Amino acid sequence: QVQLRESGPGLVKPSQTLSLTCTVSGASITTSFYAWSWIRQPPGKGLEWMGVIGHDGSTYYSPSFKSRTSISRDTSKNQFSLQLSSVTPEDTAVYYCAGDVGYSGSDPNKYIYWGQGTEVTVSS
């Protein structure tokens, strides 16, 4: 059973960098055909796909976030991480990590493995 769990601060100040980590259990993040994404949902809005890291470490980002986003991984801990720089209050959202086998695209609804989400507020 694949399980994901997000961790990180719940409050970030404007202009700072938001850093979140997703710990995966039940599957190795380096297993072929797996892909691991970060997705967020601002209050009152729909899901927004931010980017993905593949089993081989390759990364792809949404054009909406590409200039401010970095996704990396620590294979020794079976974790992958999100960094979102220069945050503003508009980055306040519930952030999810998600995974899938065979799908690495931008449609959040196609990911089958999800963390419970972590709420991040950007405020001074």
Side-chain angles (χ1 to χ4, degrees), residues 39-50 65 89-96 118-120:
I39 296 163
R40 75 179 192 180
Q41 186 167 29
K45 298 184 179 181
L47 296 169
E48 300 177 343
W49 178 79
M50 302 179 70
F65 298 100
E90 286 65 42
D91 293 309
T92 294
V94 177
Y95 286 77
Y96 298 93
T118 187
E119 188 169 359
V120 178

mmCIF file of all heavy atoms in Angstrom, residues 39-50 65 89-96 118-120:
data_model
loop_
_atom_site.group_PDB
_atom_site.id
_atom_site.type_symbol
_atom_site.label_atom_id
_atom_site.label_comp_id
_atom_site.label_asym_id
_atom_site.label_seq_id
_atom_site.Cartn_x
_atom_site.Cartn_y
_atom_site.Cartn_z
ATOM 1 N N ILE A 39 0.802 19.290 -5.824
ATOM 2 C CA ILE A 39 -0.471 19.868 -6.243
ATOM 3 C C ILE A 39 -0.986 20.717 -5.099
ATOM 4 O O ILE A 39 -0.810 20.355 -3.930
ATOM 5 C CB ILE A 39 -1.479 18.735 -6.573
ATOM 6 C CG1 ILE A 39 -0.963 17.918 -7.777
ATOM 7 C CG2 ILE A 39 -2.869 19.295 -6.847
ATOM 8 C CD1 ILE A 39 -1.632 16.555 -7.924
ATOM 9 N N ARG A 40 -1.613 21.827 -5.402
ATOM 10 C CA ARG A 40 -2.142 22.646 -4.327
ATOM 11 C C ARG A 40 -3.573 23.058 -4.610
ATOM 12 O O ARG A 40 -4.036 22.997 -5.752
ATOM 13 C CB ARG A 40 -1.275 23.886 -4.123
ATOM 14 C CG ARG A 40 -1.437 24.968 -5.170
ATOM 15 C CD ARG A 40 -0.560 26.171 -4.866
ATOM 16 N NE ARG A 40 -0.910 27.315 -5.686
ATOM 17 C CZ ARG A 40 -0.296 28.483 -5.612
ATOM 18 N NH1 ARG A 40 0.722 28.676 -4.748
ATOM 19 N NH2 ARG A 40 -0.683 29.478 -6.385
ATOM 20 N N GLN A 41 -4.266 23.482 -3.551
ATOM 21 C CA GLN A 41 -5.635 23.966 -3.681
ATOM 22 C C GLN A 41 -5.810 25.206 -2.820
ATOM 23 O O GLN A 41 -5.933 25.096 -1.586
ATOM 24 C CB GLN A 41 -6.648 22.898 -3.275
ATOM 25 C CG GLN A 41 -8.082 23.312 -3.523
ATOM 26 C CD GLN A 41 -9.053 22.168 -3.418
ATOM 27 O OE1 GLN A 41 -8.830 21.201 -2.691
ATOM 28 N NE2 GLN A 41 -10.141 22.245 -4.165
ATOM 29 N N PRO A 42 -5.813 26.376 -3.449
ATOM 30 C CA PRO A 42 -6.060 27.610 -2.694
ATOM 31 C C PRO A 42 -7.497 27.630 -2.185
ATOM 32 O O PRO A 42 -8.375 26.954 -2.749
ATOM 33 C CB PRO A 42 -5.823 28.711 -3.729
ATOM 34 C CG PRO A 42 -5.030 28.068 -4.821
ATOM 35 C CD PRO A 42 -5.480 26.654 -4.839
ATOM 36 N N PRO A 43 -7.773 28.419 -1.174
ATOM 37 C CA PRO A 43 -9.132 28.486 -0.631
ATOM 38 C C PRO A 43 -10.150 28.879 -1.704
ATOM 39 O O PRO A 43 -9.966 29.875 -2.415
ATOM 40 C CB PRO A 43 -9.021 29.574 0.443
ATOM 41 C CG PRO A 43 -7.586 29.609 0.812
ATOM 42 C CD PRO A 43 -6.834 29.246 -0.419
ATOM 43 N N GLY A 44 -11.197 28.094 -1.829
ATOM 44 C CA GLY A 44 -12.251 28.406 -2.769
ATOM 45 C C GLY A 44 -11.938 28.143 -4.230
ATOM 46 O O GLY A 44 -12.724 28.504 -5.113
ATOM 47 N N LYS A 45 -10.782 27.537 -4.488
ATOM 48 C CA LYS A 45 -10.377 27.271 -5.873
ATOM 49 C C LYS A 45 -10.148 25.781 -6.107
ATOM 50 O O LYS A 45 -10.181 24.985 -5.179
ATOM 51 C CB LYS A 45 -9.111 28.068 -6.202
ATOM 52 C CG LYS A 45 -9.296 29.574 -6.114
ATOM 53 C CD LYS A 45 -8.047 30.316 -6.552
ATOM 54 C CE LYS A 45 -8.233 31.820 -6.494
ATOM 55 N NZ LYS A 45 -7.019 32.553 -6.948
ATOM 56 N N GLY A 46 -9.887 25.448 -7.345
ATOM 57 C CA GLY A 46 -9.647 24.059 -7.700
ATOM 58 C C GLY A 46 -8.204 23.638 -7.498
ATOM 59 O O GLY A 46 -7.354 24.423 -7.076
ATOM 60 N N LEU A 47 -7.944 22.389 -7.815
ATOM 61 C CA LEU A 47 -6.598 21.851 -7.698
ATOM 62 C C LEU A 47 -5.683 22.434 -8.773
ATOM 63 O O LEU A 47 -6.072 22.580 -9.929
ATOM 64 C CB LEU A 47 -6.638 20.327 -7.836
ATOM 65 C CG LEU A 47 -7.395 19.574 -6.741
ATOM 66 C CD1 LEU A 47 -7.575 18.115 -7.138
ATOM 67 C CD2 LEU A 47 -6.679 19.672 -5.407
ATOM 68 N N GLU A 48 -4.464 22.746 -8.363
ATOM 69 C CA GLU A 48 -3.460 23.304 -9.281
ATOM 70 C C GLU A 48 -2.230 22.410 -9.258
ATOM 71 O O GLU A 48 -1.581 22.260 -8.232
ATOM 72 C CB GLU A 48 -3.058 24.725 -8.857
ATOM 73 C CG GLU A 48 -4.188 25.719 -8.825
ATOM 74 C CD GLU A 48 -3.751 27.085 -8.326
ATOM 75 O OE1 GLU A 48 -2.662 27.170 -7.697
ATOM 76 O OE2 GLU A 48 -4.478 28.059 -8.554
ATOM 77 N N TRP A 49 -1.911 21.823 -10.416
ATOM 78 C CA TRP A 49 -0.706 21.001 -10.518
ATOM 79 C C TRP A 49 0.497 21.917 -10.638
ATOM 80 O O TRP A 49 0.519 22.832 -11.481
ATOM 81 C CB TRP A 49 -0.807 20.085 -11.725
ATOM 82 C CG TRP A 49 0.395 19.240 -11.961
ATOM 83 C CD1 TRP A 49 0.730 18.095 -11.313
ATOM 84 C CD2 TRP A 49 1.434 19.462 -12.926
ATOM 85 N NE1 TRP A 49 1.909 17.589 -11.808
ATOM 86 C CE2 TRP A 49 2.366 18.413 -12.804
ATOM 87 C CE3 TRP A 49 1.675 20.451 -13.878
ATOM 88 C CZ2 TRP A 49 3.501 18.318 -13.595
ATOM 89 C CZ3 TRP A 49 2.799 20.367 -14.668
ATOM 90 C CH2 TRP A 49 3.703 19.306 -14.519
ATOM 91 N N MET A 50 1.523 21.654 -9.828
ATOM 92 C CA MET A 50 2.687 22.525 -9.794
ATOM 93 C C MET A 50 3.890 21.925 -10.542
ATOM 94 O O MET A 50 4.628 22.655 -11.208
ATOM 95 C CB MET A 50 3.086 22.816 -8.349
ATOM 96 C CG MET A 50 1.984 23.451 -7.534
ATOM 97 S SD MET A 50 2.456 23.762 -5.841
ATOM 98 C CE MET A 50 3.650 25.108 -6.091
ATOM 99 N N PHE A 65 4.224 28.065 -12.475
ATOM 100 C CA PHE A 65 5.076 28.038 -11.283
ATOM 101 C C PHE A 65 6.554 27.873 -11.620
ATOM 102 O O PHE A 65 7.395 27.939 -10.727
ATOM 103 C CB PHE A 65 4.657 26.886 -10.365
ATOM 104 C CG PHE A 65 3.263 26.993 -9.847
ATOM 105 C CD1 PHE A 65 2.228 26.260 -10.421
ATOM 106 C CD2 PHE A 65 2.957 27.834 -8.792
ATOM 107 C CE1 PHE A 65 0.929 26.366 -9.950
ATOM 108 C CE2 PHE A 65 1.665 27.943 -8.307
ATOM 109 C CZ PHE A 65 0.650 27.203 -8.883
ATOM 110 N N PRO A 89 0.710 36.169 -0.260
ATOM 111 C CA PRO A 89 -0.513 35.609 0.335
ATOM 112 C C PRO A 89 -1.324 34.764 -0.653
ATOM 113 O O PRO A 89 -2.075 33.880 -0.222
ATOM 114 C CB PRO A 89 -1.275 36.861 0.772
ATOM 115 C CG PRO A 89 -0.189 37.835 1.109
ATOM 116 C CD PRO A 89 0.873 37.588 0.080
ATOM 117 N N GLU A 90 -1.171 35.014 -1.953
ATOM 118 C CA GLU A 90 -1.887 34.217 -2.952
ATOM 119 C C GLU A 90 -1.382 32.766 -3.018
ATOM 120 O O GLU A 90 -2.010 31.919 -3.652
ATOM 121 C CB GLU A 90 -1.751 34.853 -4.334
ATOM 122 C CG GLU A 90 -2.598 36.123 -4.528
ATOM 123 C CD GLU A 90 -2.173 37.275 -3.650
ATOM 124 O OE1 GLU A 90 -0.937 37.493 -3.514
ATOM 125 O OE2 GLU A 90 -3.046 37.959 -3.069
ATOM 126 N N ASP A 91 -0.259 32.493 -2.377
ATOM 127 C CA ASP A 91 0.249 31.113 -2.311
ATOM 128 C C ASP A 91 -0.319 30.346 -1.114
ATOM 129 O O ASP A 91 0.028 29.176 -0.915
ATOM 130 C CB ASP A 91 1.773 31.131 -2.253
ATOM 131 C CG ASP A 91 2.405 31.635 -3.542
ATOM 132 O OD1 ASP A 91 2.031 31.118 -4.615
ATOM 133 O OD2 ASP A 91 3.257 32.536 -3.477
ATOM 134 N N THR A 92 -1.187 30.986 -0.344
ATOM 135 C CA THR A 92 -1.868 30.287 0.741
ATOM 136 C C THR A 92 -2.751 29.187 0.147
ATOM 137 O O THR A 92 -3.567 29.450 -0.744
ATOM 138 C CB THR A 92 -2.725 31.263 1.552
ATOM 139 O OG1 THR A 92 -1.860 32.193 2.208
ATOM 140 C CG2 THR A 92 -3.574 30.528 2.577
ATOM 141 N N ALA A 93 -2.562 27.965 0.623
ATOM 142 C CA ALA A 93 -3.271 26.830 0.034
ATOM 143 C C ALA A 93 -3.033 25.580 0.866
ATOM 144 O O ALA A 93 -2.166 25.560 1.747
ATOM 145 C CB ALA A 93 -2.788 26.581 -1.400
ATOM 146 N N VAL A 94 -3.810 24.558 0.559
ATOM 147 C CA VAL A 94 -3.493 23.212 1.025
ATOM 148 C C VAL A 94 -2.599 22.583 -0.045
ATOM 149 O O VAL A 94 -2.964 22.549 -1.220
ATOM 150 C CB VAL A 94 -4.752 22.370 1.245
ATOM 151 C CG1 VAL A 94 -4.359 20.952 1.667
ATOM 152 C CG2 VAL A 94 -5.653 23.011 2.301
ATOM 153 N N TYR A 95 -1.444 22.126 0.379
ATOM 154 C CA TYR A 95 -0.475 21.526 -0.528
ATOM 155 C C TYR A 95 -0.495 20.008 -0.374
ATOM 156 O O TYR A 95 -0.423 19.481 0.729
ATOM 157 C CB TYR A 95 0.919 22.071 -0.248
ATOM 158 C CG TYR A 95 1.094 23.492 -0.735
ATOM 159 C CD1 TYR A 95 0.569 24.566 -0.024
ATOM 160 C CD2 TYR A 95 1.767 23.767 -1.929
ATOM 161 C CE1 TYR A 95 0.699 25.877 -0.478
ATOM 162 C CE2 TYR A 95 1.913 25.070 -2.388
ATOM 163 C CZ TYR A 95 1.373 26.110 -1.657
ATOM 164 O OH TYR A 95 1.510 27.404 -2.131
ATOM 165 N N TYR A 96 -0.593 19.340 -1.528
ATOM 166 C CA TYR A 96 -0.632 17.879 -1.555
ATOM 167 C C TYR A 96 0.557 17.325 -2.330
ATOM 168 O O TYR A 96 0.957 17.890 -3.346
ATOM 169 C CB TYR A 96 -1.885 17.377 -2.256
ATOM 170 C CG TYR A 96 -3.196 17.757 -1.620
ATOM 171 C CD1 TYR A 96 -3.874 18.909 -2.029
ATOM 172 C CD2 TYR A 96 -3.778 16.953 -0.637
ATOM 173 C CE1 TYR A 96 -5.091 19.256 -1.461
ATOM 174 C CE2 TYR A 96 -5.005 17.297 -0.067
ATOM 175 C CZ TYR A 96 -5.646 18.449 -0.490
ATOM 176 O OH TYR A 96 -6.855 18.785 0.070
ATOM 177 N N THR A 118 -1.309 19.402 3.493
ATOM 178 C CA THR A 118 -0.854 20.248 4.585
ATOM 179 C C THR A 118 -1.203 21.696 4.260
ATOM 180 O O THR A 118 -0.961 22.170 3.147
ATOM 181 C CB THR A 118 0.655 20.084 4.835
ATOM 182 O OG1 THR A 118 1.032 20.808 6.006
ATOM 183 C CG2 THR A 118 1.504 20.583 3.676
ATOM 184 N N GLU A 119 -1.796 22.364 5.202
ATOM 185 C CA GLU A 119 -2.233 23.737 4.992
ATOM 186 C C GLU A 119 -1.080 24.694 5.238
ATOM 187 O O GLU A 119 -0.413 24.639 6.274
ATOM 188 C CB GLU A 119 -3.392 24.073 5.916
ATOM 189 C CG GLU A 119 -4.032 25.418 5.636
ATOM 190 C CD GLU A 119 -5.336 25.605 6.395
ATOM 191 O OE1 GLU A 119 -5.747 24.681 7.111
ATOM 192 O OE2 GLU A 119 -5.920 26.685 6.269
ATOM 193 N N VAL A 120 -0.842 25.559 4.270
ATOM 194 C CA VAL A 120 0.213 26.560 4.385
ATOM 195 C C VAL A 120 -0.398 27.949 4.243
ATOM 196 O O VAL A 120 -1.107 28.220 3.269
ATOM 197 C CB VAL A 120 1.313 26.361 3.331
ATOM 198 C CG1 VAL A 120 2.368 27.460 3.457
ATOM 199 C CG2 VAL A 120 1.959 24.983 3.470
#
